[in-house]
Amino acid sequence: MPQPPKRAFSRTACCLSCGLTVLGGFLIIGDVSVSKLSDLELVPRVWHGSVDEPFADAEAEAEADAKVEAALSQAKSKRPREEEHSSKPKEGAPAPAAAPQHNHAPSAASSSGSSSPSASSSAAAKPPSPSPAAAAPTPPPPPPPPPKVDKKPIPPGEYTPKKMVVHAECKAQGANFGNINTLEECDRLAAGMDDCGEGFMFSEEHPDWQCRCCTEGMSKGGPHSENWDVYEVQNPRSTASTSEDGIYKKGRECGAQAINFGQVPSPKLCSWMVAQTPECGDYFMFSKAHPEWACRCCSPNGGQDNGLSAPVWNVYKLFTERPKVVDPLPTAPPVPHASAGLPIASDPRPSWLEREDDLVIDARNPPGHGGILILQAVLADARADWGKGGLRPHWLRAILATNRDHARRHGHVMVLRSQPTQPQLTKWQWRNCFMKDFEKCVKENERENFNWEKHLMMRDYMLSSQKFTHILMLDADAALVNKDHDTLRQIAAIMDEKGKDVFLTDEDWLEHGTGRINGGLMFNKVTPFTVNLYQDTFDAHLKGSARLQNWRIGVPDMECSSNEQICLNDLWTGRGKEWFAPKAMMASGLIYNRGAERGGEKYIDDPSVEVMHWMGGSKASAGRALCDGPRDFT
């Protein structure tokens, strides 16, 4: 009888690679560490000779093949499901919330400057399918869910936290609610979110590490961490659930992505946000296992198809109806008496001023067009840092008086903006607030939007009929402190010598600040490049994560949805470098933008210092340094 052809692989080696063991002439399916061989399933080995030799009997081979296939199927069903790598906080440090990397992460990055969690693990190799004649046994039904206990909302002041696990994280995290200061508020948020389980993790030592809920059944068994604890949700939990009926393709990404909405806790909210966004198609990708990987919509006209395989991503079809009419952005009422207490000129207001701005001084000689303009924004904020009801803090009055004196001495123009431009919110900010609680949404975005107002001011006056030659945008807590130097004309001469249009400063007074732009001082020569630049940056802010395409200065596309200082740094060293860097220069902050914090104010009499910047908690010392020191700068 002729021998069957020799196989190209070792059946024994194949079995070993699938979790089987050859022992005493038997194939052993299961864990060989069990105490009794009677606990194992044994398949007689009927071939002879070395492990690579063929069967002597074709019928025996077929019978053994069927048994091995059934054993493989049973081993597969017993093997624990391989979990995807998730981004977890390291011991003693918060977990980064960021976009994923390849295989689990989407292939197309949707935002600049974002970090990525580790995603090195890949899906397990798929074992052979079982023979139809030897199907794997049906697993037992899952245990019934624990009985629900009706809870009543906890009245204010009566909340008592209950720790489930001390010094540990969740085994699997659900929603990340951001910076929440109290356990009570974290509990309430976790209770109201569909995708949260019975617990949440919180660090009382580091509340800035954010409030994070655990997914259902994953509150215990997480990694040890000295600074985290897992707490039981005390408030009554939401009974709603997110339908999976909207899944269009399991284990896939979008073929083409349009907008990254950032971290959204559930497909339901992701669907709602996509439905409000005209730039999106009718599909989106979302990972329930890793909501920190962001909600991302697919591009219109087929962006949902031809995406890469990614086991923990799904492409969903919208299950939220798109609005037939998009309401205009809400606006806040004007701030009453916004310019009260500011050093406004008593002369009639010039007609060339933009919006509701005020003139402090126009010292051009002869008067008329051209010259250098100094801009400062003094916007009424929720914390009243800049004063309230016309009562301005001493430090602010001292700084503005110093700059007014500098403009008077050297023939410049100085203009203040005290009324925020409406609408303050962008479409994407209002959408991220779920179009609810307008006042809260304005406060949450106030700091960033007030910084972006500087770019809007630059855009306004770049196009002014006054045709200024140069424009300085200076934070309201910074002052030109070298009275005897015409600092701005000196900088203009340096720019001409180097052939630059934009003058920026770094933070080299800080230990790791060299090369990092500080947005508190931007000095620009008015040229076609800078006229286009500040239109581009502000338009990019309005676009958010939709990314402005085809910038006027040449950048193909770039996102500027966060702090304007990050946008400038991305232009200087990141995606926009090719077009921006040849036109810009970076000077030392030690000279042109000296931070006053950490004792920096002592350098105010240093003849090399041109600009002093009282950031953060150092503001209170500005009045003393400028008005009450050895010299009066005002």
Side-chain angles (χ1 to χ4, degrees):
M1 177 177 172
Q3 295 290 323
K6 189 170 183 178
R7 296 192 180 274
F9 62 90
S10 163
R11 185 175 299 274
T12 304
C14 173
C15 292
L16 287 171
S17 72
C18 300
L20 312 180
T21 305
V22 178
L23 181 64
F26 293 90
L27 285 176
I28 301 175
I29 291 65
D31 186 350
V32 296
S33 65
V34 296
S35 57
K36 296 185 296 183
L37 285 179
S38 61
D39 291 338
L40 306 176
E41 182 178 341
L42 305 179
V43 180
R45 190 178 68 178
V46 296
W47 67 89
H48 306 284
S50 70
V51 295
D52 286 319
E53 289 184 3
F55 276 85
D57 186 294
E59 292 182 4
E61 179 182 17
E63 180 182 357
D65 277 348
K67 290 185 176 182
V68 169
E69 294 292 343
L72 289 169
S73 176
Q74 184 176 350
K76 178 185 174 184
S77 69
K78 291 180 179 180
R79 181 182 300 171
R81 184 174 67 87
E82 226 179 271
E83 295 292 335
E84 299 298 338
H85 228 208
S86 63
S87 177
K88 299 178 179 177
K90 294 181 180 179
E91 184 170 334
Q101 301 262 353
H102 233 337
N103 207 9
H104 308 298
S107 55
S110 298
S111 62
S112 63
S114 61
S115 58
S116 302
S118 172
S120 58
S121 63
S122 59
K126 188 175 181 180
S129 301
S131 168
T138 304
K148 291 186 177 180
V149 179
D150 290 334
K151 295 181 179 179
K152 296 181 180 180
I154 299 173
E158 297 183 15
Y159 178 79
T160 303
K162 292 185 179 179
K163 289 184 181 180
M164 297 179 70
V165 189
V166 178
H167 299 327
E169 303 170 14
C170 302
K171 187 174 182 180
Q173 296 179 36
N176 181 330
F177 297 103
N179 292 338
I180 303 299
N181 292 327
T182 65
L183 283 161
E184 182 174 5
E185 178 68 4
C186 189
D187 188 299
R188 185 184 65 77
L189 291 169
M193 182 58 64
D194 300 349
D195 293 341
C196 290
E198 68 285 353
F200 63 92
M201 54 188 283
F202 191 87
S203 172
E204 290 192 277
E205 292 184 11
H206 300 282
D208 55 308
W209 289 359
Q210 304 171 340
C211 161
R212 305 155 185 256
C213 76
C214 311
T215 56
E216 192 69 53
M218 293 293 172
S219 299
K220 299 179 180 180
H224 175 83
S225 179
E226 288 293 330
N227 295 297
W228 289 96
D229 296 304
V230 177
Y231 295 82
E232 180 182 343
V233 175
Q234 298 294 300
N235 282 286
R237 291 171 55 199
S238 169
T239 57
S241 61
T242 300
S243 170
E244 293 284 4
D245 295 340
I247 292 182
Y248 172 68
K249 288 187 177 180
K250 284 184 176 286
R252 289 280 175 180
E253 303 174 9
C254 298
Q257 296 176 41
I259 295 180
N260 180 332
F261 294 94
Q263 181 167 338
V264 175
S266 69
K268 180 169 64 177
L269 290 179
C270 184
S271 178
W272 181 87
M273 297 183 81
V274 172
Q276 310 302 316
T277 309
E279 295 91 343
C280 291
D282 291 334
Y283 298 83
F284 64 93
M285 55 188 283
F286 188 85
S287 171
K288 290 191 73 174
H290 295 287
E292 72 273 13
W293 288 358
C295 161
R296 303 156 185 258
C297 73
C298 306
S299 300
N301 304 319
Q304 69 273 16
D305 295 321
N306 304 315
L308 295 177
S309 174
V312 294
W313 286 95
N314 292 321
V315 176
Y316 292 77
K317 183 173 175 59
L318 280 182
F319 40 86
T320 305
E321 185 178 357
R322 286 188 180 272
K324 293 181 175 60
V325 178
V326 179
D327 293 330
L329 284 168
T331 59
V335 177
H337 311 295
S339 61
L342 299 178
I344 306 304
S346 58
D347 300 333
R349 183 178 183 274
S351 61
W352 56 263
L353 288 171
E354 299 289 337
R355 304 184 192 272
E356 298 177 59
D357 298 345
D358 291 294
L359 179 69
V360 175
I361 189 170
D362 186 347
R364 290 177 289 184
N365 189 17
H369 292 65
I372 295 176
L373 172 65
I374 301 171
L375 296 174
Q376 290 189 283
V378 187
L379 304 174
D381 64 319
R383 298 184 304 174
D385 285 341
W386 312 97
K388 190 174 183 180
L391 299 175
R392 301 292 180 173
H394 184 213
W395 64 264
L396 177 61
R397 288 183 283 117
I399 286 174
L400 296 179
T402 299
N403 291 335
R404 178 181 59 183
D405 182 68
H406 192 92
R408 180 184 60 79
R409 284 171 177 267
H410 302 292
H412 305 320
V413 184
M414 181 176 172
V415 169
L416 299 181
R417 178 167 294 178
S418 56
Q419 191 73 256
T421 301
Q422 299 296 333
Q424 289 185 49
L425 295 175
T426 65
K427 290 179 181 179
W428 60 269
Q429 288 171 340
W430 184 226
R431 184 180 62 225
N432 287 353
C433 291
F434 307 117
M435 300 182 181
K436 296 179 180 179
D437 200 337
F438 171 70
E439 290 186 2
K440 180 181 179 182
C441 193
V442 168
K443 289 179 182 179
E444 288 176 349
N445 292 281
E446 183 180 79
R447 179 179 174 84
E448 304 297 352
N449 286 343
F450 281 6
N451 280 323
W452 280 107
E453 187 83 35
K454 297 184 297 185
H455 287 242
L456 184 58
M457 286 186 77
M458 292 288 287
R459 186 181 79 171
D460 288 345
Y461 286 99
M462 287 277 177
L463 301 171
S464 171
S465 61
Q466 291 293 291
K467 300 188 181 302
F468 296 105
T469 61
H470 297 78
I471 300 176
L472 170 69
M473 186 72 234
L474 192 63
D475 276 4
D477 52 6
L480 293 150
V481 295
N482 205 320
K483 299 174 65 171
D484 299 328
H485 289 180
D486 188 352
T487 302
L488 301 183
R489 285 194 174 88
Q490 288 179 8
I491 295 175
I494 295 171
M495 293 169 67
D496 285 344
E497 181 183 344
K498 295 181 177 294
K500 304 295 183 180
D501 293 348
V502 181
F503 180 91
L504 300 167
T505 61
D506 67 4
E507 298 179 334
D508 56 355
W509 71 87
L510 297 174
E511 184 178 355
H512 301 293
T514 301
R516 184 176 65 218
I517 295 172
N518 181 283
L521 183 149
M522 297 179 286
F523 188 63
N524 299 269
K525 184 177 182 180
V526 179
T527 65
F529 176 79
T530 54
V531 168
N532 288 331
L533 171 66
Y534 291 99
Q535 293 183 76
D536 283 340
T537 55
F538 194 77
D539 286 349
H541 164 60
L542 296 179
K543 275 285 189 180
S545 57
R547 306 167 72 90
L548 179 66
Q549 309 293 313
N550 302 316
W551 288 42
R552 298 169 184 83
I553 65 171
V555 180
D557 72 282
M558 199 178 92
E559 178 180 346
C560 284
S561 60
S562 185
N563 186 287
E564 50 87 30
Q565 190 164 298
I566 295 176
C567 182
L568 290 174
N569 277 289
D570 284 345
L571 285 169
W572 177 246
T573 61
R575 190 172 181 83
K577 180 179 179 179
E578 178 182 345
W579 299 272
F580 179 77
K583 297 287 188 178
M585 64 173 290
M586 177 90 76
S588 170
L590 288 168
I591 299 172
Y592 295 104
N593 196 2
R594 184 66 164 87
E597 72 269 37
R598 304 175 190 177
E601 69 174 82
K602 66 186 178 184
Y603 295 100
I604 195 168
D605 290 316
D606 185 332
S608 70
V609 175
E610 301 288 344
V611 178
M612 183 68 71
H613 197 168
W614 282 269
M615 291 174 282
S618 67
K619 288 181 175 59
S621 66
R624 180 179 64 251
L626 294 171
C627 300
D628 305 329
R631 290 192 296 156
D632 184 353
F633 290 82
T634 62

